[in-house]
Amino acid sequence: MHFSSSRSTEGAEVTDPQLARRLGLTDAVLIGLGSMIGAGVFSAFAPAASAAGAGLLIGLVIAAAVAYGNATASAQLAAQYPVSGGTYVYGREQLGDWWGFLAGWGFVVGKTASCAAMALTFAAYAVPAPWQRPAAVAAVVALAAINYQGVTRTARLTRVIVTVVLLVLTTAVVASFAGGTPAIAGLVADPVEGPSPYEVLQSAGLLFFAFAGYARIATMGEEVRDPRRTIPRAIVTALAIAVTVYAVVAVTLLLVLGPQRLATSRVPLADAVAVGGSAWAVPLVAVGASAAALGALLALIAGVGRTTLAMARRADLPAWLAAVHPRHEVPHRAEVAVAVVVSVLVLTVDLRDAIGFSSFGVLVYYLIANLSAFTQRPEQRRFPRWLQVAGAAGCLLLVATLPPQAVLSGLLVYAVGVAYRTARLTVARR
């Protein structure tokens, strides 16, 4: 068992069990890809096209630029703080305890909701409607059990899932072009009735949330070998691959379906292969979407568990969640708690239409990451400081495109978190 020193809320030094460093560069890249090339690549382009038509390609460029700024901040900070917790730790160390808490609270609550939504997405593709909620719970339990067995099991399954998803996407793209001539006009926005800047930004926000999973690598920084070298490379590599995949799929859908048909499609890739005369590939797309949802869910459970561990170590969540399994060297209590909460949500709430807070929480999380990276000393920097300014500005810009309901629900959840921590600190002082 390894140990590391971490700070309590009172500033004293405490010794915590440390997770085992078992992940290499390839494993870290695949965990990032498993988070980013999730179910969003099968579904995010329809609402993006509804918002901006062919302008979604500009939105994708904006989303990628914001993501790159955020990714460099996460990579730079992870090299300095190679422990579990991601921006929760970075915010505490660079800006102060409250900043870290806001990042961690938003991540844990928002991504727990995302876990439930991803489980329901898997079930929607995989089984008939009456069995969807039980199937979603079964998926959560099965993936939590795999995570419980150790991070190498997580990495092996992620490798299989990412391979399946990439093969399905490649097949779908080829099949989409098999039966007709692509309409180049689908890539060109109408110069008169084209999308407004706000609509383009709205599409950027939708696409950003679909592939903004690169922080999952940083949250698992305590389990990566040679983290100061591996984590920055893994984050940037995974993001570059994910953006390339999204760009290829976006161009394919616009060429084959056109912006108008894409905007109204419930299953864009399935519709594209059908238009291409490859009906045999439609079930394959469903398999790929199911696998992608499972891959994202696997990485989400692992990431939320690690951030929960970090918060429990510093008493921002109940201390019993900070336990590390003596044999598997994973945060087993945190992962079990996440699985239980997600399962309850899956059985009781329709989260597919009610996870606006997750979008708000992700942007706050990355805003704090950029602010934290901006304050790093010159010898700790790996990227120009202006990238963190651009990343923070991009986060604020995308917040402005969120629906008012998402912003209000986000503020409400943060208010609950602030009240919880204030009450805990008040009790601790007595």
Side-chain angles (χ1 to χ4, degrees), residues 135-199:
V137 171
V140 171
V141 172
L143 296 182
I146 290 168
N147 278 331
Y148 193 99
Q149 295 297 312
V151 72
T152 52
R153 298 285 182 90
T154 303
R156 287 173 194 159
L157 182 57
T158 300
R159 189 187 296 262
V160 173
I161 290 173
V162 169
T163 300
V164 169
V165 173
L166 290 178
L167 287 174
V168 168
L169 288 174
T170 301
T171 303
V173 167
V174 172
S176 296
F177 290 117
T181 303
I184 301 298
L187 300 179
V188 182
D190 190 313
V192 178
E193 299 182 0
S196 67
Y198 176 81
E199 290 169 333

Side-chain angles (χ1 to χ4, degrees), residues 96-136:
D97 292 355
W98 270 107
W99 287 95
F101 175 81
L102 292 176
W105 181 263
F107 184 87
V108 168
V109 177
K111 291 304 183 181
T112 298
S114 293
C115 285
M118 203 55 62
L120 289 167
T121 300
F122 156 74
Y125 277 100
V127 299
W131 295 97
Q132 286 178 5
R133 290 186 187 270

Side-chain angles (χ1 to χ4, degrees), residues 146-422:
I146 290 168
N147 278 331
Y148 193 99
Q149 295 297 312
V151 72
T152 52
R153 298 285 182 90
T154 303
R156 287 173 194 159
L157 182 57
T158 300
R159 189 187 296 262
V160 173
I161 290 173
V162 169
T163 300
V164 169
V165 173
L166 290 178
L167 287 174
V168 168
L169 288 174
T170 301
T171 303
V173 167
V174 172
S176 296
F177 290 117
T181 303
I184 301 298
L187 300 179
V188 182
D190 190 313
V192 178
E193 299 182 0
S196 67
Y198 176 81
E199 290 169 333
V200 170
L201 286 175
Q202 195 170 56
S203 72
L206 291 164
L207 294 170
F208 174 81
F209 300 127
F211 67 78
Y214 39 87
R216 218 71 67 247
I217 303 169
T219 61
M220 303 180 74
E222 198 170 307
E223 295 160 280
V224 175
R225 296 192 298 269
D226 190 11
R228 288 177 174 80
R229 181 170 177 266
T230 300
I231 295 176
R233 291 175 63 192
I235 289 176
V236 174
T237 302
L239 177 62
I241 295 171
V243 171
T244 301
V245 170
Y246 270 77
V248 170
V249 174
V251 170
T252 298
L253 293 175
L254 287 170
L255 287 173
V256 175
L257 296 180
Q260 289 76 27
R261 184 167 180 178
L262 173 58
T264 58
S265 174
R266 290 182 63 253
V267 282
L269 270 170
D271 287 344
V273 297
V275 167
S278 303
W280 59 267
V282 173
L284 190 64
V285 171
V287 171
S290 299
L294 287 178
L297 178 59
L298 180 68
L300 279 169
I301 292 172
V304 174
R306 271 65 178 176
T307 301
T308 299
L309 168 72
M311 296 183 73
R313 282 174 170 174
R314 295 159 180 82
D316 278 335
L317 287 175
W320 65 272
L321 291 169
V324 174
H325 195 281
R327 182 159 66 94
H328 301 305
E329 297 181 292
V330 296
H332 58 299
R333 290 182 185 171
E335 291 194 340
V336 169
V338 170
V340 170
V341 173
V342 172
S343 297
V344 171
L345 291 175
V346 163
L347 291 173
T348 58
V349 182
D350 185 2
L351 286 163
R352 285 168 293 184
D353 299 321
I355 57 168
F357 166 70
S358 183
S359 301
F360 185 86
V362 165
L363 286 170
V364 171
Y365 182 89
Y366 285 122
L367 174 63
I368 294 173
N370 280 293
L371 296 176
S372 299
F374 185 82
T375 64
Q376 287 180 289
R377 295 192 299 271
E379 63 270 21
Q380 297 160 342
R381 305 196 62 78
R382 293 165 177 256
F383 301 95
R385 183 172 279 183
W386 66 263
L387 276 173
Q388 276 71 72
V389 176
C395 290
L396 293 173
L397 189 63
L398 293 182
V399 163
T401 72
L402 292 176
Q405 183 179 355
V407 175
L408 290 174
S409 64
L411 292 173
L412 176 61
V413 171
Y414 272 111
V416 172
V418 168
Y420 163 76
R421 189 169 194 268
T422 301

